[in-house]
RNA sequence: GGCGGCAUGGCCAAGUGGUAAGGCAGAGGAUUGCAAAUCCUUUAUCCUCGGUUCGAAUCCGGGUGCCGCCUCCA
């Protein structure tokens, strides 16, 4: 950690030097997925950039402890503020039990992550696993006078806080005028911004998942899980809390409210928010617009890692517009980059001075509010520089700890057992073509090349002879 | 209506006061029997108007456009 790292902090709305609560250690919390449907590639953009953040912090020398929840309890079903819990809706749609649905989509989520080389956080904890922790936390809020009971539900009283709007820049007047007209107001609340900590009496009666509590049989409000799960695993002081930008209000605002009310001191120092992925019509979301999943991209023939590179070429705090044109652009760039790396020879000796120089540039780029785009520039500059191939390979492998683009995983051109027959055939064809060329029978030479191409074999004539690869 | 973000060449994108990185595509050249691959060269005054400054893409103010949030969403 000899280099300073700077990150944009939503709390304060500016780029700040990153300092951990405990020297050399980072506690990192991520709002996990709600597992009632597949994640779309916009969701995955957030997790992807958070993965880059985590890997970069490790690269820079921090010991990172990261936790993530899985939301397998109630979220509402649709825009109109009516209907049933989303998990229940998902279960009905697919004729499965709620917990089966949760398991299915949790697995699907992590399968997507794996394809994108997103590391699974070492701590993943489902919301349904932590009911006693929510009850403890809510009890604490009662003891301290922040919670009240109304109409059977437990609410958090936001007026008891000094600065409820710390994350958003709103004022209480703003919301007083603003509230959307399609939302049915909850008359139990003392204040508009108060939120539910525990439901016993819900508009949504067909909740399948309910638990006993001191306030009655019911289920937790949707903010409490993140506070409780984070504190359970990461303690009273959190370094970084990540999430999508649309979680700033109300979810993260309310997390801060309940956490700091319970703890009696500042809870989390840095708030890291990833912007949306848009398409031409606007935000990609679960409830509106095009629902593009990773599986769909794969079906269309895209390498998930090309999507990873697509995201990293842009900045996490900029809205990114998805289009196939731009993705195709990245597909070419990714292939060219890998080809370039694969052509490096394992020659020379690793030059440690050069390594340190470029590692420094790489850390400077990413340490500047995770400037992934510039990190690629460092990579390209390094590949162009006048240094030996082994040093380049070493650095590519090193940078790839953060990029995670499998830049040094080359497809084996020849698989000894499986393709030896094919290899012999191709080599004989190459030899035949060479002879044809030597006798200036170009028609035959081209025919051989075209025939191989139809079989998916691409020939490359180089100074050292003809090479081939499977397209 | 309130709050917030964004606006750089065909596309993506860096840049945080000193005179426009990088990638992809395109063009020209080298190489090739021709191609592909590879290598070299090459393409902008930064949405608009005004201000501050010796000097602004970069700071300030007014527009315009796009996007998000305002208790379902990453």
């Amino acid at each position: 950690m000899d280099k300073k790292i700077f990150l944009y902090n939503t709390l304060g709305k500016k780029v700040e030097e990153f300092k951990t609560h405990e020297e050399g250690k980072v506690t990192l919390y991520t709002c996990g997925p709600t597992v009632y449907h597949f994640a779309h590639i916009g969701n995955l953009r957030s997790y992807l950039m958070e993965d880059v953040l985590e890997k970069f912090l490790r690269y820079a020398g921090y010991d990172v402890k990261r936790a993530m929840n899985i939301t397998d309890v109630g979220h509402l079903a649709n825009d109109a503020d009516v209907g049933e819990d989303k998990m229940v809706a998902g279960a009905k749609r697919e004729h499965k039990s709620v917990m089966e649905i949760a398991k299915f989509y949790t697995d699907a989520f992590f399968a997507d992550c794996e394809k994108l080389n997103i590391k699974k956080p070492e701590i993943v904890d489902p919301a349904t696993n932590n009911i006693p922790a929510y009850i403890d936390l809510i009890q604490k809020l009662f003891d301290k006078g922040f919670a009240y009971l109304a109409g059977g539900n437990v609410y958090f009283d936001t007026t008891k806080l000094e600065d409820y709007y710390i994350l958003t820049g709103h004022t209480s007047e703003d919301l007083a005028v603003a509230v959307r007209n399609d939302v049915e107001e909850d008359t139990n609340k003392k204040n508009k911004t108060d939120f539910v900590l525990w439901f016993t009496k819900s508009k949504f009666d067909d909740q399948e998942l309910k638990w006993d509590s001191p306030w009655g049989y019911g289920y937790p409000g949707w903010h409490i899980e993140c506070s409780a799960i984070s504190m359970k695993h990461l303690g009273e002081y959190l370094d970084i809390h990540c999430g999508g930008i649309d979680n700033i209000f109300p979810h993260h605002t309310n997390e801060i409210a309940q956490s700091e009310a319970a703890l009696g001191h500042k809870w989390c120092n840095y708030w890291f928010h990833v912007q949306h992925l848009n398409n031409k019509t606007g935000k990609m979301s679960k409830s509106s617009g095009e629902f593009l999943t990773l599986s769909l991209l794969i079906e269309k023939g895209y390498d998930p890692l090309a999507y990873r590179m697509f995201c990293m070429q842009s900045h996490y705090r900029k809205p990114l517009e998805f289009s196939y044109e731009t993705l195709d652009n990245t597909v070419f760039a990714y292939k060219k980059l890998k080809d370039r790396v694969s052509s490096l020879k394992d020659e020379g000796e690793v030059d440690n001075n050069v390594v340190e120089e470029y590692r420094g540039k790489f850390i400077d780029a990413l340490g500047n509010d995770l400037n992934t785009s510039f990190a690629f520039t460092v990579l390209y500059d390094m590949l162009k520089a006048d240094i030996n191939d082994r040093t380049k390979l070493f650095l590519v492998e090193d940078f790839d700890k953060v990029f995670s683009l499998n830049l040094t995983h080359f497809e084996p051109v020849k698989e000894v057992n499986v393709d030896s027959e094919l290899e012999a055939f191709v080599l004989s064809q190459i030899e035949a073509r060479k002879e044809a060329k030597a006798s200036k029978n170009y028609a035959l030479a081209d025919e051989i090349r075209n025939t191989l191409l139809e079989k998916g074999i691409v020939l490359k004539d180089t100074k050292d002879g003809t090479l081939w690869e499977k397209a």
Side-chain angles (χ1 to χ4, degrees):
Chain A
M1 272 139 300
D2 35 342
K3 291 215 171 244
K4 288 184 178 176
I5 287 172
F6 296 87
L7 284 178
Y8 181 86
N9 190 354
T10 309
L11 201 63
K13 295 186 182 56
K14 58 178 190 299
V15 175
E16 295 173 6
E17 186 180 344
F18 178 62
K19 290 209 167 86
T20 55
H21 184 258
E22 200 180 327
E23 179 77 30
K25 291 189 177 169
V26 178
T27 49
L28 184 64
Y29 184 81
T30 307
C31 288
T34 303
V35 282
Y36 64 85
H37 216 309
F38 290 110
H40 56 70
I41 60 171
N43 299 126
L44 293 169
R45 180 190 184 194
S46 287
Y47 294 107
L48 213 150
M49 297 315 289
E50 288 156 8
D51 181 63
V52 173
L53 173 68
E54 179 191 345
K55 284 173 177 161
F56 170 60
L57 291 171
R58 290 182 193 279
Y59 183 91
Y62 287 99
D63 182 8
V64 180
K65 190 172 179 190
R66 182 173 179 195
M68 180 163 104
N69 67 305
I70 297 289
T71 299
D72 53 0
V73 291
H75 279 219
L76 305 181
N78 61 36
D79 283 0
D81 200 33
V82 291
E84 57 201 344
D85 179 279
K86 278 183 178 170
M87 286 297 305
V88 175
K92 278 192 181 163
R93 186 176 63 236
E94 307 194 7
H95 308 289
K96 287 178 184 166
S97 80
V98 176
M99 291 319 284
E100 275 174 339
I101 292 276
K103 167 118 183 31
F104 178 82
Y105 286 114
T106 302
D107 291 347
F109 172 74
F110 285 116
D112 282 349
C113 287
E114 203 177 322
K115 286 177 192 137
L116 288 165
N117 276 173
I118 295 172
K119 177 181 165 293
K120 188 175 178 176
E122 52 271 41
I123 300 162
V124 174
D125 206 356
T128 48
N129 235 8
N130 292 282
I131 304 299
Y134 313 148
I135 291 172
D136 280 355
L137 190 55
I138 295 167
Q139 189 56 55
K140 209 173 277 176
L141 292 171
F142 261 112
D143 296 345
K144 296 196 174 189
F146 288 96
Y148 62 92
L149 208 52
N153 298 329
V154 181
Y155 293 86
F156 185 94
D157 187 343
T158 52
T159 58
K160 293 277 163 65
L161 283 172
E162 286 278 308
D163 195 1
Y164 174 66
Y165 296 98
I166 191 161
L167 209 50
T168 62
H170 281 105
T171 67
S172 52
E173 287 77 31
D174 296 339
L175 283 186
V177 208
V179 185
R180 272 192 345 225
N181 56 15
D182 58 344
V183 172
E184 192 187 317
E185 207 174 319
D186 182 345
T187 49
N188 292 323
K189 290 181 181 182
K190 287 190 197 165
N191 313 289
K192 283 217 142 104
T193 48
D194 290 357
F195 55 93
V196 177
L197 296 166
W198 188 269
F199 285 102
T200 65
K201 201 165 163 295
S202 165
K203 291 173 273 189
F204 317 111
D205 276 341
D206 49 356
Q207 285 282 333
E208 283 189 29
L209 300 173
K210 291 189 182 180
W211 296 265
D212 269 324
S213 85
W215 315 284
Y217 189 60
Y219 60 100
W222 73 282
H223 309 295
I224 199 76
E225 62 177 272
C226 285
S227 289
I229 291 174
S230 170
M231 287 182 211
K232 171 182 165 190
H233 297 287
L234 304 173
E236 290 192 9
Y237 295 92
L238 185 60
D239 289 309
I240 307 177
H241 193 305
C242 335
I245 196 160
D246 57 350
N247 274 157
I248 292 175
F249 191 87
H251 185 229
H252 291 165
T253 302
N254 290 347
E255 273 188 59
I256 293 174
Q258 64 200 184
S259 299
E260 299 193 351
L263 291 169
H265 61 70
K266 192 176 183 186
W267 173 49
C268 176
N269 281 325
Y270 299 89
W271 288 82
F272 179 91
H273 289 110
V274 180
Q275 262 283 0
H276 285 289
L277 179 75
N278 299 318
N279 52 34
K280 293 219 164 41
T281 57
K283 178 174 73 159
M284 197 174 282
S285 82
K286 279 174 182 157
S287 45
S288 68
E290 195 182 8
F291 193 92
L292 207 46
T293 60
L294 189 67
S295 316
L296 205 66
L297 281 188
I298 292 169
E299 258 175 52
K300 286 175 187 265
Y302 288 99
D303 183 340
L305 295 183
Y307 179 67
R308 184 176 174 107
M309 182 159 168
F310 170 87
C311 289
M312 288 192 296
Q313 277 189 319
S314 165
H315 190 82
Y316 76 92
R317 265 190 315 114
K318 274 193 169 184
L320 178 59
E321 189 176 295
F322 178 83
S323 72
Y324 286 105
E325 187 196 351
T326 310
L327 184 59
D328 287 340
N329 187 321
T330 309
V331 167
F332 286 125
Y334 180 52
K335 184 179 184 313
K336 262 181 110 157
L337 180 60
K338 277 198 85 162
D339 281 352
R340 190 159 174 179
V341 172
S342 71
S343 72
L344 292 172
K345 307 259 191 316
D346 204 7
E347 288 170 1
E349 275 185 35
V350 175
D351 183 333
N352 285 317
N353 290 330
V354 172
V355 167
E356 279 321 299
E357 181 194 340
Y358 280 96
R359 279 182 56 97
K361 287 181 181 178
F362 189 67
I363 291 176
D364 284 343
L366 291 174
N368 180 15
D369 194 26
L370 217 61
N371 195 334
T372 43
S373 175
F374 197 72
F376 276 106
T377 298
V378 174
L379 173 66
Y380 281 109
D381 283 350
M382 185 276 287
L383 288 171
K384 258 189 297 196
D386 185 22
I387 52 185
N388 71 55
D389 278 9
R390 184 161 295 169
T391 306
K392 286 183 183 176
L393 269 174
F394 181 89
L395 280 165
V396 170
E397 203 149 33
D398 189 58
F399 292 176
D400 210 31
K401 287 175 192 163
V402 180
F403 286 138
S404 298
L405 288 172
N406 295 357
L407 292 175
T408 55
H409 300 196
F410 309 128
E411 299 295 319
V413 177
K414 312 152 202 172
E415 295 206 6
V416 184
N417 298 319
V418 185
D419 278 336
S420 57
E421 206 175 305
L422 176 68
E423 188 196 355
F425 170 71
V426 173
L427 289 179
S428 71
Q429 291 301 100
I430 287 174
E431 195 53 36
R433 176 165 168 267
K434 191 178 163 189
E435 281 166 23
K437 280 169 72 175
S439 56
K440 298 207 190 295
N441 186 350
Y442 296 124
L444 177 61
D446 288 352
E447 192 191 319
I448 291 171
R449 184 172 62 199
N450 290 334
T451 309
L452 286 175
L453 192 60
E454 279 166 23
K455 296 177 197 277
I457 307 295
V458 180
L459 298 185
K460 292 181 179 181
D461 291 331
T462 72
K463 286 194 184 76
D464 307 321
T466 301
L467 301 176
W468 65 280
E469 65 178 21
K470 285 180 98 164

